[in-house]
Amino acid sequence: MLKYGSSNESVADFYAGKSVFVTGGTGYLGKVLIEKLLYSCEKLDKIYLLIREKKNVSPEKRLQHIFEQPIFKRLKCKGADYMQKVVPIVGDISEPNLAVTEEDEKELREKVSIVFHMAATVKFNEPLKVAMNINFEGTRRVLNLCKKMKQLQTFVYVSTAYTNTNREIIEEVIYPPPASYEEVYTALQQYGDNDKDIRKLLCDRPNTYTFTKALAEHYVAEQQNKIPTVIIRPSIVAPSINEPLEGWVDNWFGATSLMVMIGKGHYRVVAGASSNLIDLIPVDYVSNVSIAAAAKCEGYDGLLVYNCCTSGANPVTYGAVCRCFIEESVRFKLNDIPYPTINFTKHQWLLKTIIFIMQMIPAFFADCFLWLSGKRPRYVKLQRKVLRMNNTQQYFTSRSWVMDSKETQALYASLSDLDKNMFPFNPVSIVWSEYLPVYYKGVKTYLF
């Protein structure tokens, strides 16, 4: 375990007068990280944000739209002209050299001290060729740019805790990659995106997302002797626990869509056991550990890995989360189907039987009623979506992992009381009976 120094410099002081470069800043975690840097590190010089140019929408307009979202409300209340600190850099991680202009690259080379690389495709079943270009090659392109930065102090790569799902206990170390990237490209040339052959290549990884993130993580580790590096491995990123708004969420990824369908009564059986652990981590905790890790690794010449997870220190089960969503859904009268309930099974035949009897047949009769009432049928179509969701998430619900987070907790323990209050991320502090209703309320407020 790393022995952290006794430097009196606060996290905010570390960022004073410095500029950061952020990829993936328009995503869920990225927006929270940018807001937190602007709010809590007031003396920060600039945030250079890699942003794609979209048809008929300029990067400046996209940035303005982002700042109109509710999470930036407290910054507006401060009255500071925070938008002037965020500089859009037109580019794309899927393009050679990030598609950044020479002028912009020169400014990044001269001024950037910290890089947060969060951009990725999070689609589980993206074609391998596409996932490799974004998750692996995109990371390589960012690192190539980092090597040219004259003032670079830290490179922070946001990976995922599920890069090593072939292990039941996942520690804060770099494990051997599932394959070499040379092997991957050879296979792609030989097989294309033939699903059957690609499945063999994934080496126990459930999808192209976790596979390519594992390859990228190993590549980052190989390059760390040239660049001060931190790898952050969040588990299932969930709504904020405190900041910038309690329960803030802006997407249906992770566990959210599954739990909402359970609460509404459309999803009545899950592959796995109710005692299986579901590793949820609030988005503001991921943002805070990323910011703090970049500040506190200064002077350390090795690779640091932080599992931003809860299962090893403060576990919660699928059964507990499902029960909470059902109770909250009924309490707010947001369940579409009367008496929502959930069953767990490890047997595929029973899973399919329950889906047919308790989901498909009721959906068919509900659609018949709608049709006879002159309304458009919708429940069978919804069940098809639920089945696709079941196929995508079954691998994760049917297994249980323990994500060790000793280094993450040691990093938190090394902070001053002021920094602990300003950048909380200790997983032990989460009280699940209090946080899960916040999770549901956030979904209700920001997504429904």
Side-chain angles (χ1 to χ4, degrees):
M1 187 177 295
L2 176 65
K3 300 293 183 183
Y4 294 93
S6 57
S7 171
N8 292 324
E9 184 181 49
S10 70
V11 171
D13 286 342
F14 169 80
Y15 288 92
K18 295 173 183 173
S19 293
V20 305
F21 176 53
V22 180
T23 73
T26 59
Y28 178 42
L29 172 59
K31 282 180 278 193
V32 174
L33 181 125
I34 288 171
E35 195 277 345
K36 183 62 175 176
L37 283 170
L38 292 170
Y39 186 81
S40 297
C41 304
E42 295 179 333
K43 296 180 181 178
L44 179 79
D45 185 25
K46 289 282 191 296
I47 296 176
Y48 294 99
L49 173 61
L50 189 72
I51 187 166
R52 282 183 298 170
E53 195 166 24
K54 289 194 172 181
K55 190 175 181 181
N56 300 324
V57 183
S58 69
E60 290 77 16
K61 282 286 185 184
R62 287 191 67 196
L63 195 57
Q64 185 179 352
H65 175 70
I66 289 169
F67 282 126
E68 289 170 356
Q69 295 187 16
I71 60 163
F72 292 95
K73 183 178 179 180
R74 67 176 183 173
L75 272 173
K76 293 176 183 176
C77 293
K78 266 191 167 185
D81 194 8
Y82 59 90
M83 281 189 66
Q84 297 302 314
K85 290 193 172 188
V86 182
V87 180
I89 300 292
V90 178
D92 189 335
I93 64 164
S94 67
E95 298 292 335
N97 299 317
L98 305 177
V100 172
T101 66
E102 286 186 21
E103 184 180 351
D104 284 342
E105 183 180 311
K106 182 180 178 182
E107 187 164 357
L108 295 174
R109 289 199 313 260
E110 297 292 333
K111 295 187 176 181
V112 170
S113 299
I114 303 100
V115 173
F116 293 97
H117 175 42
M118 298 180 290
T121 174
V122 296
K123 293 179 181 178
F124 280 179
N125 295 312
E126 194 83 81
L128 182 58
K129 186 176 180 180
V130 175
M132 281 294 291
N133 185 42
I134 297 174
N135 293 345
F136 179 79
E137 291 297 339
T139 301
R140 177 148 63 173
R141 292 174 187 123
V142 173
L143 280 169
N144 287 339
L145 176 59
C146 288
K147 292 172 185 176
K148 303 174 187 176
M149 292 177 176
K150 298 177 182 179
Q151 302 186 54
L152 186 65
Q153 290 179 264
T154 314
F155 172 73
V156 178
Y157 173 61
V158 178
S159 182
T160 171
Y162 295 96
T163 52
N164 298 285
T165 51
N166 55 324
R167 301 170 184 272
E168 292 183 2
I169 299 176
I170 300 169
E171 299 180 314
E172 292 160 300
V173 298
I174 297 295
Y175 294 103
S180 71
Y181 63 87
E182 294 92 348
E183 290 174 320
V184 175
Y185 286 126
T186 299
L188 282 173
Q189 283 185 339
Q190 186 174 355
Y191 304 120
D193 267 321
N194 183 286
D195 190 60
K196 185 178 179 180
D197 292 312
I198 292 302
R199 281 282 154 203
K200 297 176 185 175
L201 181 66
L202 297 187
C203 303
D204 298 325
R205 300 312 193 273
N207 50 54
T208 58
Y209 169 68
T210 57
F211 178 75
T212 54
K213 292 293 276 186
L215 294 182
E217 194 175 280
H218 196 263
Y219 183 78
V220 168
E222 285 181 335
Q223 300 298 310
Q224 70 84 22
N225 62 330
K226 301 170 186 175
I227 300 171
T229 302
V230 172
I231 292 178
I232 307 292
R233 287 186 187 143
S235 52
I236 303 170
V237 181
S240 55
I241 190 169
N242 293 312
E243 299 178 288
L245 295 169
E246 186 181 77
W248 186 73
V249 61
D250 74 346
N251 65 76
W252 292 96
F253 297 149
T256 300
S257 55
L258 172 68
M259 294 304 163
V260 167
M261 287 295 103
I262 289 170
K264 283 182 170 289
H266 298 295
Y267 201 96
R268 292 180 175 253
V269 59
V270 172
S274 63
S275 58
N276 282 356
L277 302 182
I278 176 171
D279 203 305
L280 302 172
I281 190 74
V283 64
D284 44 338
Y285 276 27
V286 184
S287 169
N288 289 341
V289 74
S290 301
I291 293 169
K296 292 300 177 181
C297 79
E298 188 179 16
Y300 184 69
D301 59 1
L303 174 71
L304 297 170
V305 180
Y306 296 103
N307 287 345
C308 195
C309 309
T310 54
S311 56
N314 186 9
V316 65
T317 65
Y318 271 98
V321 180
C322 291
R323 285 192 297 273
C324 175
F325 266 70
I326 289 171
E327 290 167 4
E328 294 296 300
S329 190
V330 170
R331 183 161 74 93
F332 287 106
K333 298 180 180 178
L334 291 173
N335 52 303
D336 293 337
I337 309 297
Y339 311 111
T341 185
I342 193 65
N343 303 278
F344 291 86
T345 179
K346 297 178 181 178
H347 305 289
Q348 282 297 310
W349 68 269
L350 186 55
L351 179 79
K352 293 176 181 178
T353 301
I354 294 175
I355 287 173
F356 181 73
I357 294 174
M358 298 183 70
Q359 293 179 199
M360 294 305 297
I361 290 178
F364 174 77
F365 281 108
D367 273 354
C368 288
F369 177 77
L370 288 176
W371 182 74
L372 291 171
S373 303
K375 298 177 183 178
R376 181 179 295 180
R378 66 186 185 94
Y379 288 107
V380 170
K381 183 178 179 181
L382 181 60
Q383 276 301 314
R384 291 197 187 103
K385 291 182 179 180
V386 168
L387 290 177
R388 284 197 296 270
M389 186 193 310
N390 174 68
N391 292 336
T392 301
Q393 302 202 14
Q394 188 174 143
Y395 178 91
F396 299 95
T397 60
S398 62
R399 291 164 173 80
S400 196
W401 295 272
V402 174
M403 315 282 191
D404 179 75
S405 59
K406 292 185 180 68
E407 286 292 355
T408 304
Q409 293 174 71
L411 172 64
Y412 180 76
S414 74
L415 301 181
S416 67
D417 290 342
L418 175 66
D419 280 341
K420 285 177 181 176
N421 289 328
M422 190 171 289
F423 301 95
F425 56 83
N426 186 6
V428 178
S429 67
I430 300 172
V431 180
W432 292 110
S433 61
E434 297 174 3
Y435 172 65
L436 292 177
V438 167
Y439 186 157
Y440 185 88
K441 185 179 178 182
V443 173
K444 172 179 171 289
T445 303
Y446 300 110
L447 294 183
F448 279 3

